[in-house]
Amino acid sequence: MTTSRRSDEPTASAATPTRARAPAKKPAASPYHLRISRLTVDKLGVKLYDKASAVVAELIANSYDADAKKVTVRVPLNVQLASKAGGTLCDLGYVIEVEDDGHGMTPEEAIDFYLRVGADRRTRVGQDGGRSRKLKRPVMGRKGIGKLAPFGICRRIEVWSAGGRKTTAGYAVTHFFMDFDKIVRDDDDAVPLEVGSDDRGWSKTSGTRIRLTSFLAKRVPDKETFLRQLAVRFTFARPDFSIYVADLANAKAELLKVDPLDIPLLPDTRIDLVSRPVFDDDGTMLPVSGWLGMAREAYKNEEMMGVRIYARGKIVGMTRDFNQPAGFTGEFAMRSYLVGHVEAEWLDLDEGDDLVRTDRQDILWDSDYGQLMRRWGAELIKEIARRSREPRRIRVRDEFMRKSRIEERARQRFGDKQVALVAVDLAKKFGGFAAEDELNDDIYVEDLSQIILSVAPHQALMEAFHEFANQITKGEASLDQMLDIFKKAQIAELASYAQIAAQRVRVINDLQEIIDRSMDESQFQALIAKAPWLIEPSWTVITKNQSLKSFKHAFERYWKSEHGTEVTLAIGHEDKRPDFTLVSIDGLLHIVEIKKAGHLFDDTDFNRLLNYVDAFTRFFDENSRTVSEFYRGWQIDLIADGENVRQMSNKLAFEQVKSTGKLKRTPWNDFLTRAKKVHEQFLDIHELGAERRGGHRA
Ligand SMILES: Nc1ncnc2c1ncn2[C@@H]1O[C@H](COP(=O)(O)OP(=O)(O)OP(=O)(O)O)[C@@H](O)[C@H]1O
Ligand SMILES: [Mg+2]
């Protein structure tokens, strides 16, 4: 290529000396002028070019349009281009250079074409501006602003180009500098440009070199990222055009070729777009090529996201949803996994409207063609969502299995293999229906795991019974098989109970922590009504029986007729503030009276209680049919932290009631500790271990 023709070979430090030479030229003599106001620069969205790759891509596009076969990008990779310590910008002497072997420009061409802002090259008089000069490539350029893109990241652009007709001396060289601060002013008077030392010289080969210096505090990403960022900007459809990157920050780095990205897809989700043209409202077919599909994995980087839309080999937009309004089916999955490469030449027709936004960030979705593409995309999204449902479910499931480590946890929690297997099975089923977007939330994953782990023993039990029933109906149940099933059922049942016991222990632990004097009695009554097993660990849901109900109503009526006042007995949790809570176990009726923590049971309390003792005694004597199920009689469980019964008669009576076993007082802590111990014992006896008990949480 052309680098050997010049005496001042570009180096990373060449920028400063070139600038130092500048005053030697008389600015007034410059043939080069640029006319552009600050307002125009803003409107053109130059600021949006804040990525080195995006800037370089514009220069590459220009090289392509100039029939270049090879473009070399020299850039310091993985560096901060300028420092901004303490708010002052400090240039670090870096250089970015884009050099091509295209047809270049003569000084006249530079003046006529390059130094015009916003001129559409495709409408140039006297030439086919829509096609490149020799290779007749459909050109990427259109807006006449690409050359200004570098001002998004730097303040000085050096243009060196050799072009025109080949003469005996070679190609005519144009060489000048564009300084942002000089050019971009509030008015739009033409500003003379600094002329370079090679200007009006000759070069043996044609081509252009654009050199950027005086950077803003932007970062050039690492090699992989930079290459990816460049790769997605072009389609590489042409075999006669290649882009190379040389890392200026690393002298030993080899020349890197920019190649298309490879994006792995979920099986069977790829749609080849050649067979899916867009149809205009009047039936005209608008050809499309490329593909759409669902990415196999969550994106590891921005460049692999979404669908990229190209026209003439250059990116014109990126979309994740073809601009669909929110709320379409499979939205989350589609937005996160939809990928594609859409080539639609009709988005950039010479004679058609310019459908790309001025700032080149996207296509104009509201234009006629934009609308067509939107509608077309919506259909395809639907189709891909449908095709990918199953593979997506599998992916979500696997993701859940991995994140929750449920296999390992099930094995740990359930000594029994059968139950652990059921848990894993359940996890696979539930996992597939997990909310994909929530899987990154640890709490969500943990909650779901807990549900699965607590349902597993019950499910295992059900399955064992089911199998048992099956064998019997088929008449195939041998005694051995039966024993086997019973064994399984027992294991499952045990695991199921262990689960319950473990939960209860956890609840008691929590209770012990929150019980304080601020809680009042009705809160405790409600607690007992909801968790009667606190009174009797062997309580199960089945125990809450009809006879308790009959007793409750009969006694409430009885009390009213005897005393003329209301009394409320609670069985389950009731709205009314109960006076007592009833729990019945194995023929013994527990009547639970609760005092708040720290309360001393005094004479008033006792006088009231004594009335009830009397009433319960008489009721039991007089209503033998109603109370027949409580063959072990009744007892009052008084939960109160201390006693302060002063009156002598009360003191004696209190002792006496206690000695009959009709009244048992337990302080809060003893009460809870006892309940806990029983459950823990259950867990220990069945070697269900501390972890499962959940009693030793960190
Ligand atoms: N590397 C190059 N080699 C030869 N000519 C070039 C080169 N770069 C720019 N030019 C000339 O300068 C003109 C202006 O370039 P610029 O990028 O600003 O506009 P464009 O490419 O026409 O349109 P767009 O703004 O859409 O890129 C080009 O049309 C072309 O004639
Ligand atoms: Mg251009």
Side-chain angles (χ1 to χ4, degrees):
M1 153 82 238
T2 54
T3 46
S4 58
R5 69 206 160 182
R6 301 178 60 241
S7 52
D8 59 0
E9 190 66 17
T11 63
S13 58
T16 323
T18 325
R19 223 181 322 178
R21 251 194 329 265
K25 296 264 173 190
K26 283 196 206 81
S30 174
Y32 304 111
H33 290 80
L34 193 58
R35 187 193 293 269
I36 182 167
S37 72
R38 200 177 297 278
L39 196 66
T40 317
V41 168
D42 286 349
K43 272 198 198 135
L44 296 178
V46 168
K47 274 195 208 130
L48 293 168
Y49 283 98
D50 69 338
K51 274 189 186 166
S53 56
V55 168
V56 164
E58 282 306 328
L59 304 180
I60 294 175
N62 283 350
S63 299
Y64 177 86
D65 290 349
D67 283 336
K69 296 201 167 144
K70 180 180 175 187
V71 182
T72 308
V73 179
R74 301 192 185 85
V75 55
L77 293 174
N78 208 8
V79 301
Q80 177 79 15
L81 289 168
S83 80
K84 210 175 177 185
T88 22
L89 197 63
C90 175
D91 187 45
L92 300 171
Y94 285 115
V95 173
I96 293 181
E97 211 172 69
V98 177
E99 180 167 352
D100 70 52
D101 58 359
H103 58 56
M105 292 175 276
T106 60
E108 292 68 34
E109 284 168 340
I111 293 165
D112 290 346
F113 307 139
Y114 196 91
L115 294 173
R116 293 275 202 87
V117 176
D120 184 346
R121 63 166 293 154
R122 299 188 200 170
T123 57
R124 272 175 203 163
V125 266
Q127 48 173 284
D128 179 9
R131 299 266 152 182
S132 68
R133 232 176 259 178
K134 259 192 283 146
L135 301 176
K136 301 295 169 201
R137 293 171 175 166
V139 296
M140 296 174 176
R142 172 168 210 160
K143 296 184 190 292
I145 56 173
K147 70 197 144 249
L148 297 177
F151 285 143
I153 64 165
C154 77
R155 285 296 170 249
R156 190 167 156 92
I157 303 173
E158 176 182 348
V159 180
W160 188 103
S161 189
R165 257 182 341 106
K166 188 170 185 178
T167 66
T168 43
Y171 296 90
V173 172
T174 174
H175 188 195
F176 55 90
F177 296 85
M178 303 196 288
D179 279 285
F180 184 86
D181 299 321
K182 282 188 217 153
I183 297 166
V184 181
R185 307 199 310 204
D186 293 332
D187 53 47
D188 60 356
D189 290 344
V191 174
L193 303 178
E194 184 185 322
V195 179
S197 57
D198 291 351
D199 194 52
R200 311 283 158 164
W202 299 93
S203 163
K204 292 222 157 37
T205 46
S206 70
T208 304
R209 194 195 75 227
I210 308 292
R211 220 165 154 217
L212 319 180
T213 52
S214 262
F215 288 96
L216 303 180
K218 308 279 179 187
R219 229 199 122 66
V220 183
D222 59 30
K223 178 174 95 186
E224 286 73 24
T225 311
F226 188 78
L227 286 180
R228 268 199 320 267
Q229 288 176 346
L230 273 191
V232 296
R233 291 185 171 267
F234 303 99
T235 60
F236 300 93
R238 302 191 69 103
D240 62 353
F241 183 68
S242 43
I243 305 167
Y244 288 89
V245 173
D247 183 3
L248 292 181
N250 178 356
K252 276 185 246 145
E254 52 198 302
L255 214 57
L256 307 158
K257 187 164 187 288
V258 181
D259 280 320
L261 283 191
D262 178 34
I263 300 172
L265 295 184
L266 270 189
D268 303 325
T269 61
R270 188 180 197 277
I271 297 182
D272 191 334
L273 299 177
V274 170
S275 56
R276 305 300 182 92
V278 174
F279 284 98
D280 196 345
D281 289 333
D282 59 19
T284 316
M285 190 177 95
L286 303 166
V288 180
S289 61
W291 52 269
L292 287 182
M294 286 287 270
R296 199 160 53 206
E297 305 162 23
Y299 308 115
K300 293 199 180 66
N301 52 67
E302 211 181 312
E303 294 72 43
M304 293 192 166
M305 285 195 293
V307 177
R308 287 173 307 275
I309 305 172
Y310 301 88
R312 303 189 172 212
K314 189 184 179 201
I315 196 160
V316 289
M318 195 285 281
T319 179
R320 293 201 196 183
D321 52 15
F322 288 95
N323 218 26
Q324 304 303 299
F328 56 89
T329 329
E331 183 176 350
F332 173 78
M334 292 321 270
R335 279 195 210 278
S336 345
Y337 290 95
L338 181 69
V339 283
H341 177 117
V342 178
E343 293 182 42
E345 299 308 297
W346 40 271
L347 286 174
D348 191 10
L349 297 175
D350 287 345
E351 60 283 4
D353 292 335
D354 189 349
L355 301 178
V356 180
R357 257 165 46 184
T358 324
D359 61 20
R360 293 201 232 238
Q361 301 293 304
D362 207 349
I363 65 167
L364 297 169
W365 289 102
D366 287 327
S367 62
D368 289 348
Y369 278 160
Q371 299 264 27
L372 287 177
M373 175 144 297
R374 195 191 258 181
R375 205 167 64 200
W376 173 81
E379 282 307 308
L380 288 166
I381 288 185
K382 238 185 261 165
E383 184 173 337
I384 294 173
R386 203 168 53 237
R387 284 188 191 204
S388 66
R389 197 168 298 144
E390 207 37 45
R392 234 161 59 211
R393 191 167 291 168
I394 293 170
R395 180 174 62 203
V396 174
R397 181 196 72 193
D398 293 349
E399 179 82 352
F400 173 71
M401 299 299 284
R402 196 176 58 75
K403 287 227 159 103
S404 61
R405 300 179 10 258
I406 200 116
E407 282 193 78
E408 188 191 329
R409 291 178 63 185
R411 239 183 296 119
Q412 264 176 23
R413 181 181 291 216
F414 310 111
D416 174 58
K417 261 207 205 109
Q418 198 68 29
V419 182
L421 281 178
V422 170
V424 170
D425 213 45
L426 275 179
K428 283 185 181 157
K429 279 188 197 138
F430 280 141
F433 292 96
E436 199 169 352
D437 45 341
E438 307 253 34
L439 283 182
N440 283 327
D441 179 352
D442 290 345
I443 295 175
Y444 175 84
V445 173
E446 179 57 24
D447 284 352
L448 193 53
S449 312
Q450 283 302 341
I451 293 172
I452 288 163
L453 290 174
S454 53
V455 170
H458 304 279
Q459 177 71 17
L461 185 58
M462 293 308 294
E463 281 176 16
F465 282 138
H466 195 73
E467 201 183 327
F468 175 62
N470 258 350
Q471 301 279 25
I472 295 207
T473 26
K474 277 197 251 151
E476 282 171 3
S478 75
L479 194 58
D480 278 351
Q481 277 173 330
M482 206 87 102
L483 281 176
D484 184 49
I485 291 167
F486 277 148
K487 198 177 116 215
K488 264 199 241 164
Q490 201 189 15
I491 290 166
E493 203 169 334
L494 209 58
S496 189
Y497 280 133
Q499 189 78 46
I500 295 169
Q503 291 297 346
R504 290 181 177 179
V505 171
R506 240 184 304 239
V507 168
I508 296 171
N509 279 338
D510 289 347
L511 256 178
Q512 279 182 325
E513 268 166 48
I514 60 163
I515 280 180
D516 62 37
R517 284 154 204 250
S518 65
M519 283 174 82
D520 72 10
E521 280 120 39
S522 67
Q523 280 173 294
F524 285 120
Q525 292 281 16
L527 194 77
I528 299 291
K530 272 188 188 156
W533 47 267
L534 283 168
I535 302 289
E536 258 303 334
S538 58
W539 182 91
T540 63
V541 201
I542 308 168
T543 326
K544 192 168 125 187
N545 52 21
Q546 189 54 39
S547 53
L548 212 52
K549 246 189 205 159
S550 330
F551 174 82
K552 167 187 156 72
H553 294 304
F555 184 81
E556 282 172 353
R557 269 200 310 276
Y558 175 81
W559 178 268
K560 180 130 200 216
S561 69
E562 293 283 306
H563 295 262
T565 55
E566 302 278 346
V567 65
T568 308
L569 305 180
I571 305 174
H573 177 49
E574 280 152 49
D575 290 341
K576 262 204 214 153
R577 193 182 248 251
D579 297 280
F580 299 94
T581 299
L582 305 178
V583 178
S584 140
I585 290 288
D586 295 338
L588 178 65
L589 176 67
H590 293 266
I591 301 159
V592 188
E593 151 102 289
I594 298 179
K595 290 290 160 202
K596 59 195 272 183
H599 180 83
L600 301 182
F601 195 75
D602 61 16
D603 288 298
T604 326
D605 295 327
F606 183 71
N607 286 330
R608 181 174 155 274
L609 191 70
L610 205 56
N611 282 332
Y612 286 114
V613 172
D614 180 51
F616 285 130
T617 315
R618 280 195 289 125
F619 183 83
F620 264 73
D621 287 347
E622 292 163 23
N623 299 278
S624 51
R625 285 257 311 264
T626 316
V627 301
S628 63
E629 290 217 10
F630 311 118
Y631 53 87
R632 286 168 62 205
W634 58 277
Q635 110 181 16
I636 296 179
D637 295 272
L638 169 63
I639 298 161
D641 278 345
E643 292 172 14
N644 187 24
V645 176
R646 290 284 179 84
Q647 282 170 28
M648 206 26 117
S649 56
N650 277 350
K651 245 186 185 163
L652 288 172
F654 195 20
E655 289 312 317
Q656 206 242 321
V657 192
K658 280 201 269 188
S659 70
T660 59
K662 285 286 179 239
L663 176 65
K664 281 196 175 133
R665 184 185 68 82
T666 325
W668 266 109
N669 217 20
D670 291 4
F671 166 67
L672 290 179
T673 307
R674 191 194 62 196
K676 186 157 92 176
K677 210 176 253 161
V678 176
H679 288 108
E680 283 181 343
Q681 264 164 7
F682 172 82
L683 293 172
D684 287 340
I685 288 167
H686 298 291
E687 288 169 4
L688 295 158
E691 192 270 335
R692 276 146 274 162
R693 190 156 73 216
H696 299 274
R697 284 175 304 165

